[in-house]
Amino acid sequence: MASDVEKLFSQFRAPGVWREIRELFQPRERECLQVEVTSCCMGKCVYCPHTTRADVWKSRHMKPETFAALWPAMLGTARVHLQGWGEPFLNPYFMDFVSLARKAGCAVSTTTCGLRMDEDLAERVVSSGMDIVAFSLTGTDEQSNGARAGVPFSRVEKAVRMLQKARREKNAVHLEIHLAYLMLASNVEAVRALPELMEDWGVHAAVISTMDYIPSPDMAKEAFAPHERDKIEAARVVLEEVGAKVRASGRDFYASLPAPTPAPCCRERAHRTMYVDADGQISPCVYLNVPLDAPQPDRAVFGNVLEENPERIWARPDYAAFREAVQTERPPSSCASCAKRFEAPCAQ
């Protein structure tokens, strides 16, 4: 007997062959629909507002009805990334969400801490058609990964190996395993062990980022401010050396560091992406809608998918104007000092 969720999602029909042909010449308007399927998390990472603002944090799962309301938006989007401010696999309907997004013709990816991974979930992920699963790290061993409190490095390794085993047994060449690596300023040297780690774990790519969101004043020292040029250049040397080794092994490596001045664009590409939180509220990006039960001066929400078709929200004049402004030298005030505007690729 079909479950209530299966019945709910069965009303949607996949795009026909003529639409698929049309999209070969006219790609979908949005590059990515980022969906916060949950804001719940078992980790206690020292750099995350889930930990530093625990007293006002809103923990909740996205409901199937909310995800179903995103169907029109999915039809106009190339990729659905199922992750926001929590651990995605905690949502009991995660695999149902993957199935519906795939039915809409979207590529589907996620970023996970790895704690929920087991053999059954690994097999379901491989069979789902997802093409990227990224695992979060801040180090390359137990000690250097210590900032991810509650998420032992050994458990992440076990999760990656489980997914690799399922992937290889099913010859699932469509699925890539990535590392979403947060480089803290006090822990730059740990990055040097990435080439060997990626080789050992069979990881396809690593994306190295720095702290874009400062959850508390005492964490600012772990970020790379644009004016801290000596600090940035020292990190650049390490990233360029590591990047060369990783690419020489046939794997991908992406890294960025702040430039002295901001670029007239949004590195999160907010003009081509949409962020939807667990309650169905649409924002330009994850940084402008943190799930806090507290005032947020820079919070930007343009509508809720439970109240209005997401395509109509996307087309609203105020939202369109926001997206246009982020690609100029005069961005919205909420974006003017965003770290993403200073971000510049390195180690390419």
Side-chain angles (χ1 to χ4, degrees), residues 37-38 61-63 87-95 97:
V37 293
T38 185
H61 293 320
M62 176 174 278
K63 297 177 180 178
E87 167 48 45
F89 288 122
L90 284 177
N91 190 311
Y93 302 107
F94 180 89
M95 298 311 304
F97 295 169

Side-chain angles (χ1 to χ4, degrees), residues 144-294:
S144 59
N145 197 56
R148 293 185 60 74
V151 188
F153 181 84
S154 58
R155 184 64 181 85
V156 181
E157 178 179 7
K158 183 178 179 181
V160 173
R161 294 193 186 281
M162 266 191 284
L163 186 56
Q164 277 288 22
K165 180 175 180 291
R167 175 181 168 274
R168 287 167 177 159
E169 287 178 349
K170 293 182 180 293
N171 194 29
V173 295
H174 65 276
L175 176 63
E176 291 193 359
I177 296 177
H178 292 191
L179 295 180
Y181 192 104
L182 177 65
M183 185 178 70
L184 301 177
S186 65
N187 206 20
V188 173
E189 287 299 310
V191 177
R192 292 189 184 278
L194 266 178
E196 293 76 15
L197 180 70
M198 294 174 68
E199 180 73 29
D200 184 31
W201 290 5
V203 172
H204 298 85
V207 179
I208 316 299
S209 61
T210 58
M211 283 187 63
D212 301 317
Y213 179 88
I214 311 298
S216 60
D218 62 318
M219 286 303 298
K221 64 181 183 295
E222 292 289 6
F224 291 81
H227 68 275
E228 297 177 307
R229 301 318 302 172
D230 290 344
K231 182 176 174 182
I232 290 170
E233 293 309 313
R236 187 186 307 279
V237 171
V238 174
L239 291 175
E240 289 179 348
E241 291 178 0
V242 172
K245 289 182 180 180
V246 171
R247 286 190 293 275
S249 70
R251 306 176 193 280
D252 291 328
F253 185 86
Y254 306 94
S256 60
L257 286 167
T261 56
C265 65
C266 171
R267 298 297 185 187
E268 284 289 281
R269 297 185 61 77
H271 65 300
R272 296 289 303 280
T273 64
M274 178 191 290
Y275 176 70
V276 186
D277 75 5
D279 291 327
Q281 297 184 104
I282 289 180
S283 297
C285 77
V286 65
Y287 302 109
L288 295 180
N289 192 1
V290 184
L292 300 176
D293 188 16

